[in-house]
Amino acid sequence: MAEGDPNELLPEADREFLTDSGYDFSVKQINEQVHVVLHNFPLPKYQPPQADLLAILPNGYPNGNPDMFWTSPDVKLPSGAFPLRAEVHETYAERKWQRWSRHFDKGKWRAGIDNLRSYLTSVRAELAKGV
């Protein structure tokens, strides 16, 4: 695992999007994947109302689309229950992450065109459901 320079690990469009959007983010190379952590990502329909959000970019990204997302610490519904398909935990870079099993439609991913902006739009749409 190596802490990475976003200039080397992310396409320019992704770097500009994250910076221009005001995200506090970090990037690490882990094996063949790039892990992007958005610190204090807003989760207004959940408890806590913000958490770190992990996006795992597969080898070959942006031709290959990211799938699922992860949060840390645990995020729950206002009722105290885990959100739908978000009760599994995985460890990345010695940190426990809550996996949100959301499989974004690979048929809609436009290889070489879609990017972190597209992916985060899908993530926010899932989170807006509040389930």
Side-chain angles (χ1 to χ4, degrees):
M1 171 186 68
E3 189 73 33
D5 178 355
N7 292 322
E8 296 174 10
L9 297 176
L10 291 177
E12 182 178 359
D14 287 338
R15 294 190 313 267
E16 288 178 1
F17 163 69
L18 292 172
T19 302
D20 292 350
S21 297
Y23 286 112
D24 175 14
F25 69 98
S26 58
V27 182
K28 292 181 182 178
Q29 177 83 43
I30 299 179
N31 300 318
E32 297 297 317
Q33 301 170 329
V34 173
H35 290 206
V36 180
V37 176
L38 304 177
H39 303 282
N40 302 310
F41 191 84
L43 303 163
K45 293 189 175 194
Y46 301 90
Q47 291 300 321
Q50 63 184 24
D52 289 352
L53 185 136
L54 168 65
I56 297 178
L57 307 181
N59 187 21
Y61 171 85
N63 291 322
N65 69 305
D67 191 32
M68 300 192 284
F69 58 94
W70 295 257
T71 54
S72 181
D74 277 358
V75 173
K76 295 192 175 180
L77 299 168
S79 68
F82 279 110
L84 181 67
R85 298 184 327 274
E87 62 282 337
V88 173
H89 293 83
E90 299 174 342
T91 300
Y92 295 105
E94 301 178 13
R95 185 172 177 188
K96 185 177 94 168
W97 293 90
Q98 176 183 3
R99 183 184 75 194
W100 295 64
S101 185
R102 307 298 196 269
H103 302 285
F104 303 114
D105 187 350
K106 291 177 180 16
K108 291 186 179 180
W109 183 264
R110 298 167 298 171
I113 297 171
D114 283 324
N115 52 29
L116 277 179
R117 180 187 304 267
S118 312
Y119 169 75
L120 287 175
T121 296
S122 296
V123 168
R124 282 192 293 279
E126 282 297 316
L127 291 169
K129 294 175 183 176
V131 296

